[in-house]
Amino acid sequence: MKHIEHGFEKRLFSSRWLLAPFYVGLIIAVLLLLLRFFEDLILLVPQVFSLDESTLVLKVLTLVDLCLMANLLVIIVFSSYESFVSRVDIKNQQERPSWLGRVGFSSLKVKVISSIAAISAIELLKVYLDINNYSHTQVLWMVIIFSVFVIAGVLFALMDRMSSGQSKKDS
C-alpha cells in the first residue's frame, strides 16, 4: 500500500509541470504587448510635433500602461514558476532580479492588485485628459471601479501584513 501511495504522490508532485504552458502563454502575451508598444510608438513618432500636449500625454500614458502590464505579467510568470513549479537556476547571479525568490503567493496578490490599480489610475487619467468625450455616468463608473481596486489593494496589503505578523508570532 505504501508503494501505491508513494507512486501517487510522485505523480501528483510532477503534475505541477502542467502549469508551465500557462507561463509560456503569458510570455507570448508579453511579446504581443511588446509588438503593440512598438506599433504605438512608431505611429507616435511622426505625429509628435503636430499633437497637442494632452493628446501626446494620452498616447505616452498608453505606452506606460502597456509597460506596466508587461511588468505585471513577468512578475506573475517568474514568481508563480518559482512558487509552484521549480526554482529558477541562473548561472550569473548578478542577472537574477532581487525580488525573485522572495515574492510569495500573498505578496504576489498585493503586487497584482497594486499593478491593476496603477493601470486603472492611468486609464482614469486618460479619461480626465479627454473628459469631454465621456458621459458623467461613464466617469462615475470608472472612478468607482478605480476606488474598488485601491480599496482591494489596501485590504490585501493589510491582510498580508497581518498574516506575516501573525506567522512571526507563531514561530
Side-chain angles (χ1 to χ4, degrees), residues 4 25 41 55 82 104 108 118 123 137 150-151:
I4 293 171
L41 185 63
T55 305
E82 278 222 336
L108 178 61
E123 291 301 315
T137 305
V150 169
I151 291 167

Side-chain angles (χ1 to χ4, degrees), residues 127-153:
V127 168
Y128 174 73
L129 291 172
D130 197 23
I131 195 85
N132 294 328
N133 291 325
Y134 295 90
S135 71
H136 176 72
T137 305
Q138 288 174 310
V139 173
L140 179 64
W141 275 109
M142 291 187 86
V143 169
I144 289 170
I145 291 168
F146 170 72
S147 300
V148 167
F149 287 141
V150 169
I151 291 167

Side-chain angles (χ1 to χ4, degrees), residues 25-142:
L26 290 177
I27 293 300
I28 292 169
V30 171
L31 290 171
L32 295 175
L33 289 171
L34 180 66
L35 290 173
R36 181 59 190 259
F37 179 91
F38 278 110
E39 177 190 29
D40 289 355
L41 185 63
I42 289 167
L43 292 173
L44 176 61
V45 170
Q47 301 174 347
V48 72
F49 295 113
S50 62
L51 295 175
D52 60 277
E53 189 174 317
S54 63
T55 305
L56 179 61
V57 169
L58 282 171
K59 292 190 180 277
V60 170
L61 284 175
T62 300
L63 297 175
V64 170
D65 206 11
L66 290 168
C67 182
L68 283 174
M69 183 56 80
N71 287 337
L72 175 61
L73 288 174
V74 168
I75 289 171
I76 290 170
V77 167
F78 280 102
S79 60
S80 297
Y81 182 85
E82 278 222 336
S83 293
F84 300 113
V85 179
S86 180
R87 184 164 158 71
V88 176
D89 185 27
I90 301 172
K91 291 186 188 342
N92 183 356
Q93 289 298 318
Q94 290 176 335
E95 288 185 22
R96 186 178 179 87
S98 61
W99 55 266
L100 195 57
R102 290 192 305 213
V103 177
F105 189 66
S106 62
S107 61
L108 178 61
K109 287 187 296 186
V110 172
K111 286 187 182 310
V112 168
I113 196 69
S114 300
S115 296
I116 291 171
I119 291 166
S120 178
I122 289 172
E123 291 301 315
L124 195 56
L125 183 57
K126 288 180 187 177
V127 168
Y128 174 73
L129 291 172
D130 197 23
I131 195 85
N132 294 328
N133 291 325
Y134 295 90
S135 71
H136 176 72
T137 305
Q138 288 174 310
V139 173
L140 179 64
W141 275 109
M142 291 187 86

Side-chain angles (χ1 to χ4, degrees), residues 160-171:
D160 187 45
R161 178 175 234 165
M162 287 169 49
S163 67
S164 68
Q166 185 64 35
S167 63
K168 287 179 185 174
K169 280 183 182 178
D170 293 341
S171 32

